[in-house]
């Protein structure tokens, strides 16, 4: 028996798990990101003033799974997705205008730390796209745009929630730059 092709499908967690191509690692990273967004949703207090954040996170989860299959399969991210993300970014950014003017520490009540992990997870997905392209994979550059924008949206969501809850940002001043 080949342990990489078990006859019992319960012993195989993902059809592509034994591939050596980087696309599998990219897909696992996007799956992890989608799970992190789900964790943020579960931690979000269900209040009237957070309902639009919840709705946006639910929409983002679906978009992340479209992103997931966009390297191996058919492109699932389109220009209207970019425009929607930009509108959501602008909305939250405008609502918190002037609140953050430099680096801040990634802290606060849940789901703020989880949204910061989503931001980092988005950056990891961008890095996987870089590695994929470096290895010869070809995909639409819209994936770079979408994923970078997604990281920025997660950051502005953390600022927005802390603004709603009147929680101050903790400024970080680097000694390195």
């Amino acid at each position: 028996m080949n342990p990489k092709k078990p006859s019992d499908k319960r012993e195989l967690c993902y059809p592509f798990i034994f591939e050596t191509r980087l696309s599998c690692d990219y897909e696992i990273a996007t799956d992890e990101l989608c799970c992190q967004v789900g964790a943020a949703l579960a931690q979000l207090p269900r209040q009237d003033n957070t309902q639009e954040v919840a709705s946006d996170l639910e929409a983002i989860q679906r978009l992340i799974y479209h992103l997931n299959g966009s390297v191996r399969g058919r492109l699932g991210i389109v220009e209207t997705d970019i425009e929607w993300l930009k509108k959501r970014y602008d909305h939250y950014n405008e609502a918190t205008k002037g609140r953050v003017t430099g680096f801040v520490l990634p802290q606060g009540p849940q789901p703020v730390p989880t949204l910061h992990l989503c931001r980092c997870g988005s950056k990891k997905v961008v890095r996987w796209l870089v590695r994929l392209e470096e290895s010869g994979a070809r995909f639409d550059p819209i994936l770079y745009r979408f994923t970078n924008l997604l990281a920025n949206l997660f950051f502005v969501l953390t600022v927005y929630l802390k603004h709603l809850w009147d929680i101050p940002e903790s400024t970080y001043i680097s000694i390195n730059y």
Side-chain angles (χ1 to χ4, degrees), residues 80-99:
T80 55
D81 298 325
I82 298 277
E83 292 309 314
W84 179 80
L85 275 182
K86 285 181 178 180
K87 285 179 184 170
R88 300 317 299 153
Y89 176 89
D90 290 344
H91 167 73
Y92 294 116
N93 196 46
E94 184 62 32
T96 59
K97 197 170 193 139
R99 185 169 166 89

Side-chain angles (χ1 to χ4, degrees), residues 59-68 77 81 84-85 146:
I60 286 168
Q61 274 195 304
R62 286 170 175 73
L63 291 172
I64 291 170
Y65 274 155
H66 294 332
L67 176 69
N68 175 286
I77 299 298
D81 298 325
W84 179 80
L85 275 182
F146 176 84

Side-chain angles (χ1 to χ4, degrees), residues 3-96:
K4 292 184 179 180
K5 296 204 181 231
S7 57
D8 185 340
K9 295 300 179 194
R10 294 174 295 179
E11 297 174 10
L12 185 65
C13 65
Y14 185 54
F16 307 110
I17 199 71
F18 293 108
E19 281 186 359
T20 56
R21 294 185 308 176
L22 297 177
S23 55
C24 182
D25 300 285
Y26 160 81
E27 290 161 351
I28 290 170
T30 55
D31 187 31
E32 181 180 21
L33 177 58
C34 194
C35 292
Q36 289 171 333
V37 174
L41 263 168
Q43 297 160 355
L44 187 66
R46 297 303 170 155
Q47 303 164 341
D48 288 342
N49 63 354
T50 61
Q51 188 51 49
E52 83 176 317
V53 174
S55 294
D56 287 346
L57 291 176
E58 288 170 0
I60 286 168
Q61 274 195 304
R62 286 170 175 73
L63 291 172
I64 291 170
Y65 274 155
H66 294 332
L67 176 69
N68 175 286
S70 289
V71 170
R72 183 187 304 271
R74 187 170 45 109
L75 180 64
I77 299 298
V78 295
E79 198 62 39
T80 55
D81 298 325
I82 298 277
E83 292 309 314
W84 179 80
L85 275 182
K86 285 181 178 180
K87 285 179 184 170
R88 300 317 299 153
Y89 176 89
D90 290 344
H91 167 73
Y92 294 116
N93 196 46
E94 184 62 32
T96 59

